Amino acid sequence: MKKYYAECLGTFTLVLFGCGAVVFAKNEVGQLGIAFAFGLSIVAMAYSIGSISGCHINPAVTIGAWICNRIEKKEVLPYIIAQLAGAVIASALIFLIASGSPYYSSFDGLGQNGFGYGYGGEYNVFSAAVFEFVATFIFVFVILGATHKNSNTKFAGLVIGLTLVMIHIIGIQITGVSVNPARSFGPALFSVTALSQLWLFIIFPLLGGGLAGFVYKKCLIFDTES
């Protein structure tokens, strides 16, 4: 059970500080600050819980890791449930804190992902889907490579966190950047608009993560056993 508690806590931290930066500090830190809030959350959790659960804190990573034989099939669903729970708890906490401000409105949301009219750069559904698929593929591929037993894993957390920063720098205006169905699921529960678009942020990150696991396992010369 320690693995699942760690995944819940790790995802909680990612959503709390990543989405929290959007809700509480967007005007002060800007898009770059938000990008680093997500990335640094990954760095902190990688070095805190990586030795316990591998610090997936993302269903797309869990799927990729399973395809690469890093985890057993029986662990996939408990991992994902723990990640979703952590994201929901963090989103509820953000909402609870934000509601204490007279300047906060439920229409402001909780840093949810989205696309189309009225969101970010108003990119259409095709652009959003392509970005989420490709960005998740790259993100999960980097994670699998950085955490491989033949890699210098001392720097894995930093590499993974900075990769997420890079993805956010180019992607915030497109979808707000999911690359993580759990990160999208929690905030979406507090937004009707986000719920109607949630399907995209579940399907395409999972497809991207799955493809990354497949490519890493089948197309590279490495032994992908952890």
Side-chain angles (χ1 to χ4, degrees), residues 132-147:
E132 287 295 331
F133 177 77
V134 174
T136 308
F137 172 86
I138 293 170
F139 185 48
V140 176
F141 193 87
V142 168
I143 291 171
L144 294 173
T147 57

Side-chain angles (χ1 to χ4, degrees), residues 11 14-15 56-63 80 83-85 87-88 91 113 132 136 139-140 177-189 198-209:
T11 314
L14 173 68
V15 174
H56 296 185
I57 61 177
N58 181 342
V61 175
T62 297
I63 293 298
I80 292 175
Q83 292 156 2
L84 293 175
V88 171
S91 299
N113 298 117
E132 287 295 331
T136 308
F139 185 48
V140 176
V177 182
S178 172
V179 301
N180 182 341
R183 172 262 183 271
S184 298
F185 180 76
L189 295 182
L198 181 60
W199 61 272
L200 187 146
F201 302 107
I202 293 176
I203 293 173
F204 288 95
L206 289 180
L207 289 175

Side-chain angles (χ1 to χ4, degrees), residues 13-14 17-22 29 31-42 164-165:
T13 303
L14 173 68
F17 288 100
C19 295
V22 178
V29 302
Q31 290 188 184
L32 187 61
I34 293 169
F36 271 96
F38 277 102
L40 292 176
S41 297
I42 289 285
L164 190 60
V165 172

Side-chain angles (χ1 to χ4, degrees), residues 24 93-104:
F24 303 121
L93 181 60
I94 293 172
F95 181 76
L96 180 65
I97 296 171
S99 298
S101 169
Y103 304 107
Y104 178 77

Side-chain angles (χ1 to χ4, degrees), residues 34-146:
I34 293 169
F36 271 96
F38 277 102
L40 292 176
S41 297
I42 289 285
V43 174
M45 288 298 99
Y47 291 111
S48 299
I49 66 171
S51 61
I52 301 172
S53 69
C55 188
H56 296 185
I57 61 177
N58 181 342
V61 175
T62 297
I63 293 298
W66 168 57
I67 291 174
C68 265
N69 303 320
R70 300 282 182 93
I71 64 171
E72 297 180 22
K73 182 179 180 180
K74 65 182 181 181
E75 294 181 297
V76 172
L77 185 58
Y79 260 68
I80 292 175
I81 291 173
Q83 292 156 2
L84 293 175
V88 171
I89 295 169
S91 299
L93 181 60
I94 293 172
F95 181 76
L96 180 65
I97 296 171
S99 298
S101 169
Y103 304 107
Y104 178 77
S105 166
S106 58
F107 293 103
D108 296 333
L110 297 178
Q112 66 271 15
N113 298 117
F115 56 86
Y117 179 75
Y119 189 95
E122 299 189 346
Y123 289 86
N124 64 22
V125 62
F126 178 78
S127 295
V130 170
F131 170 76
E132 287 295 331
F133 177 77
V134 174
T136 308
F137 172 86
I138 293 170
F139 185 48
V140 176
F141 193 87
V142 168
I143 291 171
L144 294 173

